[in-house]
Amino acid sequence: MVSTVSSVRYDGIDALLADARSRLERVDVETAYREALGGAVLVDIRPAAQRAAEGEVHPAVGPLVVERNVLEWRFDPRSDARLEEASYDTRILVLCQEGYTSSLAADALRSLGLDATDVVGGFKAWREAHLPVACRGDG
């Protein structure tokens, strides 16, 4: 028996990104900073090499580093690989370098039933807004 799978098709990555963002209430970096200090989980999904080259959100803000390739497993409350922070009640703010990959990632988390969105402009905008950062070795 042949299975027929119906799937959504997009006219390129821009359409895929626009669709994902249509389900998000994205936040700017200042709002993300305030929310993180207020208890939201700020999740940096950038790879280690990018964080080493560009810097990171300062540890005092409490960011979690969860690389993109394991994000859903770490935040799905039903997953055996979930983090302690994984909960349907947790506000999750996803951060990438410039705010593109984070939109797709936040939409995937929302598909799991989580309260997730992403940060407009990503870490680049965070740094440009002079919000707290740590460079490699800054602790």
Side-chain angles (χ1 to χ4, degrees), residues 8-85:
V8 177
R9 299 255 179 194
Y10 295 97
D11 187 22
I13 186 61
D14 291 335
L16 178 67
L17 185 61
D19 182 52
R21 287 180 173 169
S22 75
R23 290 181 289 277
L24 301 173
E25 291 184 24
R26 303 177 77 214
V27 297
D28 61 32
V29 291
E30 290 84 3
T31 301
Y33 177 62
R34 286 192 306 275
E35 285 195 37
L37 292 178
V41 177
L42 181 65
V43 182
D44 189 339
I45 63 169
R46 297 174 300 146
Q50 194 169 41
R51 292 189 318 274
E54 301 293 332
E56 300 180 282
V57 172
H58 197 279
V61 179
L64 280 180
V65 173
V66 180
E67 291 192 16
R68 177 65 189 100
N69 63 324
V70 295
L71 184 69
E72 291 86 349
W73 286 268
R74 298 295 187 255
F75 278 95
D76 184 346
R78 299 160 292 209
S79 171
D80 291 338
R82 72 186 170 277
L83 294 169
E84 182 179 318
E85 293 83 358

Side-chain angles (χ1 to χ4, degrees), residues 52 54-56 127 133-139:
E54 301 293 332
E56 300 180 282
R127 182 184 282 284
V133 299
C135 296
R136 189 176 185 150
D138 281 355

Side-chain angles (χ1 to χ4, degrees), residues 20-26 102-104 106-107 110 116-118:
R21 287 180 173 169
S22 75
R23 290 181 289 277
L24 301 173
E25 291 184 24
R26 303 177 77 214
S102 58
S103 294
L104 300 175
D107 187 49
R110 289 189 61 81
T117 193
D118 78 318

Side-chain angles (χ1 to χ4, degrees), residues 1 14 34 78 90 100 105 112 115 121 134:
M1 182 174 196
D14 291 335
R34 286 192 306 275
R78 299 160 292 209
T90 300
Y100 294 95
L112 294 173
D115 179 10

Side-chain angles (χ1 to χ4, degrees), residues 119-130:
V119 181
V120 176
F123 182 75
K124 180 179 178 188
W126 183 282
R127 182 184 282 284
E128 289 171 356
H130 305 288

